[in-house]
Amino acid sequence: MDKAALDKIRIVEFVFIEKRPGPDEDRYGWEPFAESDEFSRDWWRHQFDPEDPYILLEVRLGEVEVARLDLEPGVVIDEAYATPELGTTTLEIGFFEVAQSQRRRGFGTVIMLGLHVRYPDRRLLAFSQEADEFWASLGWRRYDHPDGPDAHRPLFMQRAP
């Protein structure tokens, strides 16, 4: 990691807030994130079943929501990707979005480092949707499905420690 990235980590203090419905909330009407023009409405306005093992995170810098994540523990990867055996150590980044006004500031990279610290026993991975350059910039390994990118999104996986 270069010095500039380390300086950002020292200066920037992100707060990761896990979102779960309260016991009295309607499980079918629960919306974990506030409506915001800063984020893609299609990604965050769907129904989240409280019984599913996903992890929803809101990332804040002070009073400002800077990112959202939808994490899926223990995802099963199609063997055609030819990844190493991972068992239940995986944590898939299903959705990751930095607020529009906060993009191109290095926050995505620092947030991924924060996830690594928050979940040290997990292997982070993401099926890329038009973000190949970002995942590659993290040093994550790319795995392509033999049927090609038109049929299956490329998989990026955090390198083993």
Side-chain angles (χ1 to χ4, degrees), residues 18-22 25-32 44-56 70-73:
E18 188 166 340
K19 310 293 269 187
R20 280 279 170 202
E25 294 194 61
D26 174 15
R27 67 182 271 172
Y28 296 108
W30 178 68
E31 293 183 13
W44 306 107
R45 296 280 296 179
H46 65 275
Q47 183 176 338
F48 292 94
D49 185 346
E51 304 300 319
D52 286 346
Y54 60 81
I55 301 165
L56 298 175
D70 173 1
L71 307 174
E72 310 280 337

Side-chain angles (χ1 to χ4, degrees), residues 48-154:
F48 292 94
D49 185 346
E51 304 300 319
D52 286 346
Y54 60 81
I55 301 165
L56 298 175
L57 295 173
E58 177 180 307
V59 184
R60 299 186 80 73
L61 178 57
E63 297 298 315
V64 178
E65 181 183 15
V66 296
R68 295 175 177 179
L69 295 112
D70 173 1
L71 307 174
E72 310 280 337
V75 67
V76 177
I77 302 167
D78 183 333
E79 64 186 38
Y81 278 99
T83 64
E85 181 62 39
L86 299 169
T88 59
T89 66
T90 59
L91 187 58
E92 178 189 354
I93 300 164
F95 292 103
F96 172 48
E97 185 175 18
V98 174
Q100 287 185 9
S101 65
Q102 305 299 318
R103 293 179 185 167
R104 297 290 194 213
R105 299 175 65 186
F107 288 173
T109 300
V110 176
I111 290 167
M112 286 300 115
L113 292 170
L115 279 183
H116 178 66
V117 170
R118 187 176 173 98
Y119 302 103
D121 298 329
R122 297 295 199 134
R123 271 305 265 295
L124 302 174
L125 59 92
F127 289 94
S128 181
Q129 185 170 330
E130 300 177 16
D132 296 6
E133 288 181 28
F134 171 71
W135 299 113
S137 76
L138 299 174
W140 289 17
R141 180 155 180 212
R142 179 181 177 140
Y143 294 88
D144 289 306
H145 194 281
D147 293 344
D150 292 336
H152 299 275
R153 295 181 292 164

Side-chain angles (χ1 to χ4, degrees), residues 9 15 65 90 151 157 160:
I9 292 171
V15 176
E65 181 183 15
T90 59
M157 187 180 306

